[in-house]
Amino acid sequence: MKRRTILLAALLLFAMAMLWSRTRAAISDELPPRHSRQKFATSQGDREYVIHIPASCDKLKPTPLVIMLHGFGGTGLTAARETGWSAKAERESFIVAYPEATRPDKSSPPHFRRNPQAWNDGSGRFHAAAQNIDDVAFIDAMINSIESGFAIDPNRIFVTGFSNGASMTFRVGAELSHRIAAIAPVAGTCWLEQPEPSHLVSLCYITGTADSLNPLDGGYPKLAFGGREQGGRPKPAVQVFIDQWVRALRLPEKPHREETLNGLQKRVYRHGSQQPEIVFITVAGHGHHWPGGERQLPEFLLGKSGSQLNATDIIWDFFKSHPRTAVSPE
């Protein structure tokens, strides 16, 4: 047993080292083509984001904006690599932004273990909560920054995110609903006890049934191979916060439609064909990875990576059909 524990610890350290090397490459000045790094001042210090402008972009033509929030310990460019949103933006002619969360030591580069970037997602976790980082205001200001250089379609601003970034996506959807058309959290928890969006915002939520870090039935997160709980607060069951959003958007409690096909279960909540809409998708056997994306850590740590679905494709199709509405949920 002791030998197995030592082996697992060594493998974990190797995996973290691999992620760290990727993180260092991601924050270098060697950005992929048509990507740039932008910085601006806020009341809490300088903040940054990476932006991808497709070749077909016309600065004078209203263009959709997708905001992708990285997970705990990640960066904007690791999120880009993991999800493939930039390639999607090239094909579909929209702008995609990858904002950077804050880290405990602003003077040092990100490090997955020693200096991890994290969002203040409402959970009270991480340095971001202890330092009262206003990430909602940062996202709002970033949208203003992008709008200063491009004709962003105000009815087609969308937010998606993974893990801690997914939890932050829920918070942005609740607190910036006057600007956001739709949100798509992937494998994260809504920590808001009672989301109260001021405007209707559609929601597409995707997670894996074998995600031990984001357990469907709630509880403390664990790594895929078991072992001790990862600490923090216990998470609510996923259906609990889906139901909270159903109530917040004044939708019928029972799904309008349910279907299961090829390991995918989908529940759709809506009033007939009207917006807003909530789509809740589970991927059978899938662990804590972006579905259809580039795996960032080994399966023994985060579970298997299923191939039944490409989350980026599904989410963009959802975003395209859910522009912003001016109607409030009252």
Side-chain angles (χ1 to χ4, degrees):
M1 183 66 181
K2 184 177 180 180
R3 184 177 180 180
R4 178 175 179 270
T5 301
I6 293 173
L7 175 61
L8 288 174
L11 289 171
L12 179 58
L13 288 173
F14 174 77
M16 287 183 171
M18 290 294 292
L19 181 62
W20 169 227
S21 66
R22 288 185 174 189
T23 301
R24 288 187 65 88
I27 63 172
S28 73
D29 293 332
E30 297 180 6
L31 297 172
R34 307 203 65 82
H35 291 71
S36 64
R37 185 174 295 278
Q38 305 295 322
K39 180 185 293 187
F40 62 91
T42 75
S43 62
Q44 294 184 312
D46 290 346
R47 297 296 299 266
E48 296 185 5
Y49 63 95
V50 173
I51 189 168
H52 172 77
I53 309 299
S56 59
C57 182
D58 182 343
K59 287 189 175 184
L60 301 179
K61 180 181 178 180
T63 303
L65 170 65
V66 172
I67 299 167
M68 171 67 210
L69 305 180
H70 64 74
F72 174 83
T75 68
L77 285 183
T78 58
R81 181 186 298 114
E82 181 178 17
T83 63
W85 270 112
S86 295
K88 192 70 175 178
E90 282 292 336
R91 293 192 296 269
E92 298 285 343
S93 297
F94 61 86
I95 293 172
V96 58
Y98 304 95
E100 305 282 0
T102 59
R103 49 192 180 271
D105 183 358
K106 297 178 182 178
S107 64
S108 298
H111 186 286
F112 181 73
R113 182 171 57 86
R114 293 194 297 269
N115 200 26
Q117 298 197 141
W119 301 103
N120 187 1
D121 59 9
S123 65
R125 304 173 299 168
F126 316 129
H127 74 280
Q131 297 176 11
N132 197 29
I133 300 297
D134 194 343
D135 281 321
V136 173
F138 163 52
I139 299 299
D140 194 27
M142 184 191 71
I143 295 172
N144 291 338
S145 171
I146 297 170
E147 287 180 330
S148 68
F150 298 90
I152 299 300
D153 185 342
N155 294 321
R156 295 185 180 275
I157 300 175
F158 309 106
V159 182
T160 183
F162 177 69
S163 195
N164 172 224
S167 299
M168 189 66 210
T169 298
F170 277 118
R171 186 170 187 180
V172 171
E175 299 182 29
L176 285 182
S177 62
H178 61 290
R179 305 198 73 177
I180 304 302
I183 60 174
V186 176
T189 297
C190 180
W191 295 100
L192 309 176
E193 293 184 3
Q194 188 175 346
E196 296 180 347
S198 61
H199 291 66
L200 297 177
V201 56
S202 290
L203 163 65
C204 177
Y205 181 79
I206 302 173
T207 197
T209 63
D211 188 338
S212 60
L213 289 178
N214 187 53
L216 271 178
D217 295 329
Y220 289 98
K222 292 184 177 181
L223 294 174
F225 61 75
R228 68 180 182 86
E229 296 169 341
Q230 295 301 297
R233 291 170 53 189
K235 297 185 175 184
V238 170
Q239 190 64 54
V240 168
F241 56 77
I242 294 295
D243 290 342
Q244 289 173 341
W245 277 88
V246 167
R247 291 190 293 271
L249 298 176
R250 308 295 191 266
L251 296 175
E253 292 184 4
K254 292 186 177 180
H256 175 80
R257 187 176 79 253
E258 291 188 72
E259 58 189 47
T260 302
L261 181 66
N262 296 329
L264 302 177
Q265 184 183 67
K266 179 189 291 187
R267 295 175 185 169
V268 179
Y269 301 82
R270 68 182 182 208
H271 286 291
S273 60
Q274 300 176 2
Q275 291 198 51
E277 180 179 57
I278 293 177
V279 175
F280 172 26
I281 300 172
T282 58
V283 185
H286 188 76
H288 197 66
H289 311 278
W290 184 272
E294 179 182 301
R295 195 172 65 245
Q296 297 296 292
L297 284 174
E299 290 186 343
F300 87 91
L301 288 175
L302 303 184
K304 291 185 177 180
S305 180
S307 59
Q308 304 99 309
L309 166 148
N310 183 297
T312 302
D313 290 342
I314 294 297
I315 291 169
W316 176 242
D317 288 343
F318 181 83
F319 284 165
K320 283 195 297 186
S321 60
H322 293 83
R324 185 168 68 94
T325 175
V327 180
S328 76
E330 294 299 331

